[in-house]
Amino acid sequence: MSFIVVDTEGKELLREIAILDHRGILLYEAFVQEHPDNVSARFRVQPLKEILQRFATLAQNQHVICHSAEHDQKVLRTSFRHVNLPWQNIKFECTWELSRQYLPNLPSYSLEYLSRYLTLRVNGRYFNPRAAHSARYDAEFTHQLYLKIMDAQTKQRLQNQPNPFSSRVDTPFQQHPDFQPIYQAEFSLLKSVITEIRHDRNHQSRGVVVVGEPGSGKTHLMMRLAQELLQINRLLFIRQPNNPDAVLYHTYARILESFVERVPTNGFTQLENLLAHSFVKIISTTQHLKLTQKDQHILSIVQTDPLNLYRQLGSEGTATRRDYWQHIEKRVSAWWMDQYGIAGVAPQIIQGIIKFCSYSEPRRKALVSRWLAAQPLELEESALIDLPNWDEEIGREDFSLEAISVFSRLSLLDEPLIIIFDQLEGLRYNEQLLRKFGFAITELFTHVPNSLIICNLFPDRWDHFQEFFSDNRAFIDRASQHQIRLNRPSIEQIRGVLKTKLASVDTDLDTIFTTSQLNEILDASSSIRVILNRAATYYRHVVNGDPIALPASPTPPMAALPTINLDEVNRSDTADFNQRLLKLEQSFSKITQVFDVIATALSSITIEQPPAITEITTSDSPASLSDNNTSPTSLDNSKALSNLDKSNQTIFSPNHGNGLQKQFSRQDLVREYLKEQQALLHTKYSQPQIITDNDDFGKLATIAQAFQEISDFELDQLRLGRKVLPEHLVIDRGHQKYAIGFLGVGGTAFTTRIGNYNELVLNHSNTQFYLFRDLRHGEISGKVGKQHIANLNNASNGRFEWMNQSNRVTFELIYQLISDIQNQEVEFSLKRALDVLTTDYSDYWLIKVLK
């Protein structure tokens, strides 16, 4: 909003006027020539009419800010009539009225009282009543008052909006503000490699290693790729694998999850986009194909947009739609067999892709997604989507590689795939997993064409990869055909990032942060993530009045205390009130410096906060493990301005010589992280996901290995000859053993595996067995399967558990916390995090077992 600040002096007719711009700079000051009180005035004296004409020009298209605006308007209107000038349509705003709104129940709302109450200063001086009732003087303090009010308005508005700095980019499919001047050259290089793949006659895949320090913006750069290219290319995001026996299957499952992500610009999934564009190429470019009437109709509707394949072939459940999609399946299958033959599982994968795209009902799409992930379904479920169950003995790793190859070969009719491996730092904790990962990447380069394969790594981790795989140059050479290093952006670029974030809540840096706060945030030695974390902390402090919560810094040596001359405080013979007040403030500042030094010296003494009490609803039965469903020299009046009741909370300013900084314990930082991430996981719960037993086993193993840092137990697995068991992990505490398994499959696979698991229960009476099934995998309908569940629950050492939303979110939260620590996504230690988990989540089944 563009505004000017105006103060007028005069009882009925204007005597003098001052006009400031929005920065507080004087635009115009004048004394009325005809007014009897201005006889002695020698400068800026003008006729009343000229003054009013100048005012009208400056006020055009502006908000006019006055204190007691009713009086100013009255004087101006009377003066306009006096010189026969027409009154302009001017919008006034009154700081007297605004102050009553934001500071209710004050004894006075005069400019003098408000200026003193809010400790306003102009040119370093407080309000002096002897200088008041000068138009310029009053306008300058009115400008300061209005800025204070606008600041309060902004804070009140921002309290109802999310913190623009607290959200982070976890996947490329998220939407976050993007300051594009950062890493623009690196982004252009990535796009140029995609272009090279597109124009390569052999469509060979290429590798790029993106190297950057923790928090440098690697995943954010991937998000920029998605935002710009997702309408054209298919982008597949694979987080760190966690199971050495299922690296390719993990990769494939995450690829499926990416394919069911919707493209924001058209609302269809990536898989639907891939098939539509590929099918149009099949029927429009295959030379020996004799087009039928159905082919010609399809071609007519997809000429303008291939996605009309889903819009204009009949409604869900109609015979017309079924006929067309059976025809599409026939055409694509014939094309595949003509190009690649009928060997392997590829023809079935093609069939599954078409089934997924033919359905619009979410449940059927979810079932086809599980089928594509080689998960056996209940008979009723497989019948619903008209797809036969997979052979239980199928090799998941070979299956996954062939399935990924199918998608890449379909992309030859569309655009190159972008396959991104991120959050890989945790691989250093498991050499077997790291070696399997290198083998998997090598296999992808060999069998998956037309793809850009990106690995995001820390510099030291990339060095470790090169050393570790010195005997596998195929992996290193193919993965690093191109290397991109993300160097730390300049301070001005990081300022641009902060400004871009704040623009999302319609505010700016100067409104939110003081110069000292911004200097603290923009620490030159910090990564982008650390800077954003600091900005989030200060933002909460400014907007909500929360204490500063920054990780404690190393304790510096005790510094010499500054000398304070108390005579300066007590001296009362200074003539000028402002001089006395400023001397008092300067002396108080020295006192705060003393406290700063003392606080710094004492910061090495860690006083733990009492553990937070987190309410987690659990079953009372011991056998059940699942969940049931500002300156200290003056009053901090910014709190009064935002009209918040924070009377029971002490707010400390940042430690820049302005006061004492309250150091949050690191447990508080962990709890803040857990609260934010838990909310995000609850939101994500209802989104399409590929949940696999292998992945859950890997997550459990990662969590358990982390807890071995603070708890004494061994990890193992059980065997039953060559029989297939549910994915499970044994936690051996010596005096007690726990077997925790996962079983998300359906049909005969479920019946067989739970039956074998029940044999283990009978054979190992000293072990407590638990078997989890995610609620989203659906009920077991077969009688035999239900009986096996009953048998497990009836065993004294067995329990079948449904993993509901609360249970799942907490399980994922614990895994994400540990994974983020391993990937250096957060600024606290593993031990500190585990301490919080064992305290705050002590009733959660997994913590009971591990602590």
Side-chain angles (χ1 to χ4, degrees), residues 37-79:
D37 290 350
N38 293 334
V39 173
S40 60
R42 293 175 178 268
F43 301 102
R44 296 181 291 279
V45 179
Q46 294 177 353
L48 176 60
K49 189 170 185 176
E50 289 183 17
I51 293 173
L52 295 176
Q53 287 172 332
R54 180 65 171 153
F55 162 76
T57 300
L58 291 173
Q60 190 174 7
N61 300 321
Q62 299 276 353
H63 277 66
V64 177
I65 312 302
C66 303
H67 193 73
S68 300
E70 183 179 354
H71 170 76
D72 293 284
Q73 287 187 73
K74 182 179 177 181
V75 169
L76 287 167
R77 282 177 181 270
T78 302
S79 299

Short mmCIF file of all heavy atoms in Angstrom, two decimals, residues 37-79:
data_model
loop_
_atom_site.label_atom_id
_atom_site.label_comp_id
_atom_site.label_asym_id
_atom_site.label_seq_id
_atom_site.Cartn_x
_atom_site.Cartn_y
_atom_site.Cartn_z
N ASP A 37 -0.15 33.89 12.67
CA ASP A 37 0.87 33.28 13.54
C ASP A 37 2.19 33.05 12.81
O ASP A 37 3.17 32.63 13.43
CB ASP A 37 0.37 31.95 14.09
CG ASP A 37 -0.76 32.16 15.11
OD1 ASP A 37 -0.99 33.31 15.51
OD2 ASP A 37 -1.40 31.15 15.49
N ASN A 38 2.21 33.27 11.49
CA ASN A 38 3.42 32.99 10.72
C ASN A 38 4.13 34.27 10.26
O ASN A 38 4.92 34.24 9.31
CB ASN A 38 3.08 32.14 9.48
CG ASN A 38 2.63 30.74 9.87
OD1 ASN A 38 3.00 30.24 10.94
ND2 ASN A 38 1.83 30.12 9.02
N VAL A 39 3.87 35.37 10.94
CA VAL A 39 4.46 36.66 10.53
C VAL A 39 5.98 36.58 10.58
O VAL A 39 6.68 37.12 9.69
CB VAL A 39 3.93 37.80 11.43
CG1 VAL A 39 4.66 39.10 11.12
CG2 VAL A 39 2.44 37.95 11.25
N SER A 40 6.51 35.91 11.59
CA SER A 40 7.97 35.86 11.75
C SER A 40 8.62 34.76 10.92
O SER A 40 9.85 34.65 10.91
CB SER A 40 8.32 35.65 13.23
OG SER A 40 7.77 34.44 13.70
N ALA A 41 7.82 33.92 10.26
CA ALA A 41 8.39 32.82 9.47
C ALA A 41 9.11 33.37 8.26
O ALA A 41 8.61 34.26 7.57
CB ALA A 41 7.28 31.87 9.04
N ARG A 42 10.32 32.87 7.99
CA ARG A 42 11.12 33.38 6.88
C ARG A 42 11.34 32.34 5.78
O ARG A 42 11.68 32.71 4.65
CB ARG A 42 12.48 33.84 7.41
CG ARG A 42 12.40 35.04 8.33
CD ARG A 42 13.77 35.37 8.90
NE ARG A 42 13.70 36.56 9.74
CZ ARG A 42 13.90 37.80 9.31
NH1 ARG A 42 14.17 38.00 8.02
NH2 ARG A 42 13.83 38.83 10.13
N PHE A 43 11.20 31.06 6.11
CA PHE A 43 11.47 30.02 5.13
C PHE A 43 10.21 29.19 4.89
O PHE A 43 9.38 29.00 5.78
CB PHE A 43 12.61 29.09 5.62
CG PHE A 43 13.89 29.84 5.88
CD1 PHE A 43 14.26 30.15 7.19
CD2 PHE A 43 14.71 30.21 4.83
CE1 PHE A 43 15.44 30.84 7.43
CE2 PHE A 43 15.89 30.90 5.08
CZ PHE A 43 16.26 31.21 6.37
N ARG A 44 10.11 28.63 3.66
CA ARG A 44 9.01 27.76 3.25
C ARG A 44 7.65 28.40 3.51
O ARG A 44 6.72 27.72 3.95
CB ARG A 44 9.12 26.39 3.95
CG ARG A 44 10.38 25.62 3.54
CD ARG A 44 10.46 24.29 4.21
NE ARG A 44 10.69 24.41 5.64
CZ ARG A 44 11.87 24.62 6.20
NH1 ARG A 44 12.94 24.77 5.43
NH2 ARG A 44 12.01 24.72 7.49
N VAL A 45 7.54 29.68 3.29
CA VAL A 45 6.28 30.41 3.46
C VAL A 45 5.64 30.55 2.09
O VAL A 45 6.28 31.04 1.14
CB VAL A 45 6.51 31.80 4.09
CG1 VAL A 45 5.19 32.54 4.25
CG2 VAL A 45 7.22 31.66 5.43
N GLN A 46 4.38 30.09 1.97
CA GLN A 46 3.69 30.11 0.68
C GLN A 46 2.23 30.49 0.89
O GLN A 46 1.67 30.29 1.98
CB GLN A 46 3.79 28.74 -0.01
CG GLN A 46 5.20 28.34 -0.41
CD GLN A 46 5.23 26.95 -1.02
OE1 GLN A 46 4.23 26.25 -1.02
NE2 GLN A 46 6.40 26.58 -1.53
N PRO A 47 1.55 30.93 -0.17
CA PRO A 47 0.12 31.23 -0.08
C PRO A 47 -0.66 29.95 0.19
O PRO A 47 -0.28 28.86 -0.24
CB PRO A 47 -0.22 31.80 -1.46
CG PRO A 47 1.08 32.29 -2.00
CD PRO A 47 2.13 31.37 -1.46
N LEU A 48 -1.76 30.08 0.90
CA LEU A 48 -2.58 28.94 1.29
C LEU A 48 -3.00 28.12 0.08
O LEU A 48 -2.95 26.88 0.10
CB LEU A 48 -3.82 29.41 2.07
CG LEU A 48 -4.82 28.34 2.47
CD1 LEU A 48 -4.16 27.28 3.36
CD2 LEU A 48 -6.03 28.95 3.18
N LYS A 49 -3.43 28.78 -1.00
CA LYS A 49 -3.92 28.07 -2.16
C LYS A 49 -2.84 27.19 -2.78
O LYS A 49 -3.08 26.04 -3.17
CB LYS A 49 -4.46 29.07 -3.19
CG LYS A 49 -5.21 28.40 -4.35
CD LYS A 49 -5.92 29.44 -5.20
CE LYS A 49 -6.76 28.76 -6.28
NZ LYS A 49 -7.54 29.74 -7.06
N GLU A 50 -1.63 27.73 -2.88
CA GLU A 50 -0.53 26.95 -3.45
C GLU A 50 -0.22 25.73 -2.58
O GLU A 50 0.07 24.64 -3.08
CB GLU A 50 0.72 27.82 -3.58
CG GLU A 50 0.63 28.87 -4.68
CD GLU A 50 1.92 29.65 -4.83
OE1 GLU A 50 2.96 29.17 -4.30
OE2 GLU A 50 1.90 30.72 -5.46
N ILE A 51 -0.27 25.93 -1.26
CA ILE A 51 0.00 24.82 -0.33
C ILE A 51 -1.03 23.72 -0.53
O ILE A 51 -0.69 22.53 -0.60
CB ILE A 51 0.01 25.33 1.13
CG1 ILE A 51 1.21 26.26 1.35
CG2 ILE A 51 0.05 24.15 2.10
CD1 ILE A 51 1.19 26.94 2.69
N LEU A 52 -2.31 24.11 -0.63
CA LEU A 52 -3.37 23.10 -0.77
C LEU A 52 -3.28 22.40 -2.12
O LEU A 52 -3.55 21.19 -2.21
CB LEU A 52 -4.73 23.76 -0.59
CG LEU A 52 -4.99 24.34 0.81
CD1 LEU A 52 -6.33 25.06 0.86
CD2 LEU A 52 -4.95 23.23 1.86
N GLN A 53 -2.91 23.12 -3.16
CA GLN A 53 -2.76 22.49 -4.47
C GLN A 53 -1.60 21.48 -4.44
O GLN A 53 -1.70 20.40 -5.03
CB GLN A 53 -2.50 23.57 -5.53
CG GLN A 53 -3.74 24.39 -5.87
CD GLN A 53 -3.42 25.57 -6.78
OE1 GLN A 53 -2.30 26.10 -6.77
NE2 GLN A 53 -4.41 25.99 -7.57
N ARG A 54 -0.53 21.85 -3.74
CA ARG A 54 0.60 20.91 -3.61
C ARG A 54 0.20 19.68 -2.82
O ARG A 54 0.55 18.55 -3.17
CB ARG A 54 1.76 21.63 -2.93
CG ARG A 54 3.01 20.78 -2.73
CD ARG A 54 3.62 20.39 -4.05
NE ARG A 54 4.92 19.76 -3.85
CZ ARG A 54 5.43 18.90 -4.70
NH1 ARG A 54 4.79 18.55 -5.80
NH2 ARG A 54 6.62 18.38 -4.45
N PHE A 55 -0.57 19.89 -1.74
CA PHE A 55 -1.07 18.76 -0.95
C PHE A 55 -1.93 17.84 -1.82
O PHE A 55 -1.78 16.60 -1.77
CB PHE A 55 -1.89 19.27 0.24
CG PHE A 55 -2.78 18.21 0.85
CD1 PHE A 55 -2.24 17.21 1.66
CD2 PHE A 55 -4.15 18.19 0.60
CE1 PHE A 55 -3.06 16.22 2.21
CE2 PHE A 55 -4.96 17.21 1.15
CZ PHE A 55 -4.42 16.22 1.96
N ALA A 56 -2.85 18.42 -2.61
CA ALA A 56 -3.75 17.62 -3.44
C ALA A 56 -2.95 16.78 -4.44
O ALA A 56 -3.28 15.62 -4.71
CB ALA A 56 -4.74 18.52 -4.17
N THR A 57 -1.87 17.34 -4.98
CA THR A 57 -1.04 16.60 -5.94
C THR A 57 -0.34 15.42 -5.26
O THR A 57 -0.33 14.29 -5.77
CB THR A 57 0.01 17.53 -6.56
OG1 THR A 57 -0.66 18.59 -7.25
CG2 THR A 57 0.91 16.78 -7.53
N LEU A 58 0.25 15.68 -4.09
CA LEU A 58 0.97 14.62 -3.38
C LEU A 58 0.03 13.54 -2.83
O LEU A 58 0.43 12.38 -2.69
CB LEU A 58 1.79 15.22 -2.23
CG LEU A 58 2.98 16.10 -2.64
CD1 LEU A 58 3.59 16.77 -1.41
CD2 LEU A 58 4.03 15.27 -3.37
N ALA A 59 -1.21 13.91 -2.52
CA ALA A 59 -2.15 12.97 -1.93
C ALA A 59 -2.86 12.11 -2.97
O ALA A 59 -3.56 11.16 -2.62
CB ALA A 59 -3.18 13.71 -1.08
N GLN A 60 -2.68 12.45 -4.25
CA GLN A 60 -3.38 11.71 -5.30
C GLN A 60 -2.93 10.25 -5.31
O GLN A 60 -1.74 9.94 -5.31
CB GLN A 60 -3.09 12.37 -6.66
CG GLN A 60 -3.95 11.83 -7.78
CD GLN A 60 -3.73 12.62 -9.07
OE1 GLN A 60 -2.85 13.48 -9.13
NE2 GLN A 60 -4.54 12.36 -10.07
N ASN A 61 -3.90 9.32 -5.29
CA ASN A 61 -3.67 7.87 -5.31
C ASN A 61 -2.86 7.38 -4.11
O ASN A 61 -2.15 6.37 -4.19
CB ASN A 61 -2.95 7.47 -6.61
CG ASN A 61 -3.73 7.82 -7.85
OD1 ASN A 61 -4.97 7.69 -7.87
ND2 ASN A 61 -3.04 8.28 -8.88
N GLN A 62 -2.96 8.09 -2.99
CA GLN A 62 -2.24 7.71 -1.78
C GLN A 62 -3.21 7.54 -0.62
O GLN A 62 -4.28 8.17 -0.59
CB GLN A 62 -1.21 8.79 -1.38
CG GLN A 62 -0.14 9.05 -2.41
CD GLN A 62 1.01 8.06 -2.31
OE1 GLN A 62 1.08 7.25 -1.38
NE2 GLN A 62 1.93 8.12 -3.25
N HIS A 63 -2.85 6.67 0.33
CA HIS A 63 -3.51 6.68 1.63
C HIS A 63 -2.85 7.78 2.46
O HIS A 63 -1.62 7.84 2.54
CB HIS A 63 -3.34 5.34 2.35
CG HIS A 63 -4.32 4.30 1.91
ND1 HIS A 63 -4.33 3.77 0.65
CD2 HIS A 63 -5.34 3.69 2.59
CE1 HIS A 63 -5.30 2.87 0.56
NE2 HIS A 63 -5.93 2.81 1.72
N VAL A 64 -3.66 8.62 3.08
CA VAL A 64 -3.14 9.72 3.89
C VAL A 64 -3.25 9.33 5.35
O VAL A 64 -4.36 9.08 5.85
CB VAL A 64 -3.89 11.03 3.61
CG1 VAL A 64 -3.37 12.14 4.53
CG2 VAL A 64 -3.72 11.43 2.15
N ILE A 65 -2.12 9.26 6.03
CA ILE A 65 -2.07 8.83 7.42
C ILE A 65 -1.94 10.07 8.31
O ILE A 65 -1.03 10.89 8.12
CB ILE A 65 -0.88 7.89 7.68
CG1 ILE A 65 -0.82 6.79 6.61
CG2 ILE A 65 -0.95 7.32 9.08
CD1 ILE A 65 -2.07 5.94 6.51
N CYS A 66 -2.84 10.17 9.28
CA CYS A 66 -2.80 11.28 10.23
C CYS A 66 -3.08 10.74 11.63
O CYS A 66 -3.67 9.67 11.79
CB CYS A 66 -3.86 12.34 9.91
SG CYS A 66 -3.76 13.04 8.26
N HIS A 67 -2.64 11.51 12.62
CA HIS A 67 -3.04 11.19 13.99
C HIS A 67 -4.17 12.15 14.36
O HIS A 67 -4.02 13.37 14.24
CB HIS A 67 -1.87 11.35 14.97
CG HIS A 67 -2.16 10.75 16.31
ND1 HIS A 67 -2.19 9.39 16.50
CD2 HIS A 67 -2.46 11.32 17.51
CE1 HIS A 67 -2.48 9.14 17.77
NE2 HIS A 67 -2.65 10.30 18.40
N SER A 68 -5.30 11.60 14.82
CA SER A 68 -6.54 12.38 14.97
C SER A 68 -6.94 12.95 13.60
O SER A 68 -7.05 14.17 13.40
CB SER A 68 -6.39 13.51 16.01
OG SER A 68 -6.05 12.98 17.27
N ALA A 69 -7.14 12.05 12.66
CA ALA A 69 -7.38 12.42 11.27
C ALA A 69 -8.64 13.27 11.12
O ALA A 69 -8.74 14.07 10.18
CB ALA A 69 -7.49 11.17 10.40
N GLU A 70 -9.60 13.12 12.03
CA GLU A 70 -10.82 13.91 11.93
C GLU A 70 -10.51 15.41 12.00
O GLU A 70 -11.06 16.21 11.23
CB GLU A 70 -11.78 13.52 13.06
CG GLU A 70 -13.12 14.23 12.99
CD GLU A 70 -14.06 13.80 14.11
OE1 GLU A 70 -13.70 12.87 14.86
OE2 GLU A 70 -15.14 14.40 14.24
N HIS A 71 -9.58 15.77 12.89
CA HIS A 71 -9.20 17.17 13.01
C HIS A 71 -8.46 17.64 11.75
O HIS A 71 -8.75 18.74 11.22
CB HIS A 71 -8.29 17.36 14.23
CG HIS A 71 -7.65 18.73 14.28
ND1 HIS A 71 -8.34 19.86 14.66
CD2 HIS A 71 -6.37 19.14 13.99
CE1 HIS A 71 -7.55 20.90 14.61
NE2 HIS A 71 -6.33 20.50 14.21
N ASP A 72 -7.54 16.82 11.23
CA ASP A 72 -6.80 17.21 10.04
C ASP A 72 -7.73 17.38 8.84
O ASP A 72 -7.59 18.33 8.06
CB ASP A 72 -5.73 16.16 9.73
CG ASP A 72 -4.64 16.12 10.79
OD1 ASP A 72 -3.79 17.01 10.79
OD2 ASP A 72 -4.65 15.19 11.61
N GLN A 73 -8.68 16.46 8.69
CA GLN A 73 -9.62 16.58 7.58
C GLN A 73 -10.47 17.85 7.70
O GLN A 73 -10.72 18.54 6.70
CB GLN A 73 -10.56 15.36 7.55
CG GLN A 73 -9.89 14.08 7.07
CD GLN A 73 -10.89 12.97 6.89
OE1 GLN A 73 -11.69 12.99 5.95
NE2 GLN A 73 -10.87 12.02 7.81
N LYS A 74 -10.89 18.16 8.92
CA LYS A 74 -11.72 19.35 9.13
C LYS A 74 -10.96 20.61 8.74
O LYS A 74 -11.49 21.49 8.03
CB LYS A 74 -12.15 19.42 10.60
CG LYS A 74 -13.05 20.60 10.92
CD LYS A 74 -13.45 20.58 12.40
CE LYS A 74 -14.30 21.80 12.74
NZ LYS A 74 -14.67 21.82 14.18
N VAL A 75 -9.70 20.71 9.18
CA VAL A 75 -8.89 21.88 8.85
C VAL A 75 -8.68 21.98 7.35
O VAL A 75 -8.79 23.06 6.74
CB VAL A 75 -7.54 21.82 9.59
CG1 VAL A 75 -6.58 22.88 9.05
CG2 VAL A 75 -7.74 22.00 11.09
N LEU A 76 -8.39 20.86 6.71
CA LEU A 76 -8.13 20.86 5.28
C LEU A 76 -9.38 21.20 4.48
O LEU A 76 -9.34 21.99 3.52
CB LEU A 76 -7.56 19.51 4.84
CG LEU A 76 -6.09 19.24 5.27
CD1 LEU A 76 -5.73 17.78 5.07
CD2 LEU A 76 -5.13 20.15 4.50
N ARG A 77 -10.51 20.62 4.85
CA ARG A 77 -11.76 20.89 4.13
C ARG A 77 -12.13 22.39 4.24
O ARG A 77 -12.51 23.02 3.24
CB ARG A 77 -12.89 20.03 4.70
CG ARG A 77 -12.88 18.58 4.24
CD ARG A 77 -14.01 17.81 4.92
NE ARG A 77 -14.02 16.42 4.53
CZ ARG A 77 -14.71 15.94 3.47
NH1 ARG A 77 -15.40 16.78 2.72
NH2 ARG A 77 -14.68 14.66 3.19
N THR A 78 -12.01 22.91 5.46
CA THR A 78 -12.33 24.33 5.66
C THR A 78 -11.41 25.22 4.83
O THR A 78 -11.83 26.20 4.20
CB THR A 78 -12.21 24.70 7.15
OG1 THR A 78 -13.09 23.86 7.90
CG2 THR A 78 -12.58 26.15 7.39
N SER A 79 -10.13 24.84 4.77
CA SER A 79 -9.16 25.62 4.01
C SER A 79 -9.43 25.54 2.51
O SER A 79 -9.28 26.53 1.77
CB SER A 79 -7.75 25.14 4.33
OG SER A 79 -7.47 25.30 5.71
#
